């Protein structure tokens, strides 16, 4: 899929098929050829990966829990393929997609 296809309607549809778990796997998507805008390790010990990526004029932020060590493998402007589950970021009442 492309980043433009990640919409509030898509996320609402995914929420309707909850709960996910054994026998009902969390839906995963792939976006190919997205460009890294920013990459950094976050968390108390830098254990998580924070990415800002762009594709076709749309920029989204991503978090990779437990992937902080991957940041050293990516420079700005790298093209990457992402495997992800889209969701609304509600951490600290901040809106946005992840």
């Amino acid at each position: 899929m492309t980043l433009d296809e990640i919409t509030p309607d898509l996320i609402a549809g995914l929420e309707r098929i909850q709960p996910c778990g054994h026998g009902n796997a969390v839906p995963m998507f792939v976006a190919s050829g997205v460009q890294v805008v920013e990459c950094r390790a976050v968390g108390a010990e830098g254990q998580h990966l924070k990415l800002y990526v762009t594709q076709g004029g749309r920029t989204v932020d991503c978090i990779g829990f437990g992937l902080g060590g991957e940041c050293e493998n990516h420079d700005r402007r790298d093209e990457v393929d992402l495997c992800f589950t889209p969701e609304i970021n509600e951490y600290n009442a901040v809106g946005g997609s992840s």
Side-chain angles (χ1 to χ4, degrees), residues 3 29-34 51 53 60 62 80-84:
L3 297 183
F29 298 88
V30 173
S32 298
V34 299
L51 282 177
V53 296
V60 299
C62 310
V80 297
D81 298 334
L82 299 177
C83 181
F84 62 95

Side-chain angles (χ1 to χ4, degrees), residues 10-21 24-27 85-87:
L10 170 70
I11 294 169
L14 294 174
E15 289 173 354
R16 285 193 292 275
I17 65 169
Q18 297 290 333
C20 294
N24 188 25
V26 175
T85 298
E87 60 185 53

Side-chain angles (χ1 to χ4, degrees), residues 4-61:
D4 282 340
E5 294 174 295
I6 304 169
T7 64
D9 286 342
L10 170 70
I11 294 169
L14 294 174
E15 289 173 354
R16 285 193 292 275
I17 65 169
Q18 297 290 333
C20 294
H22 183 70
N24 188 25
V26 175
M28 300 292 289
F29 298 88
V30 173
S32 298
V34 299
Q35 182 180 0
V36 175
V37 174
E38 183 181 338
C39 178
R40 65 178 191 232
V42 297
E45 298 176 19
Q47 67 271 34
H48 309 302
L49 175 68
K50 178 72 170 184
L51 282 177
Y52 291 90
V53 296
T54 189
Q55 181 184 57
R58 175 142 187 230
T59 301
V60 299
D61 64 312

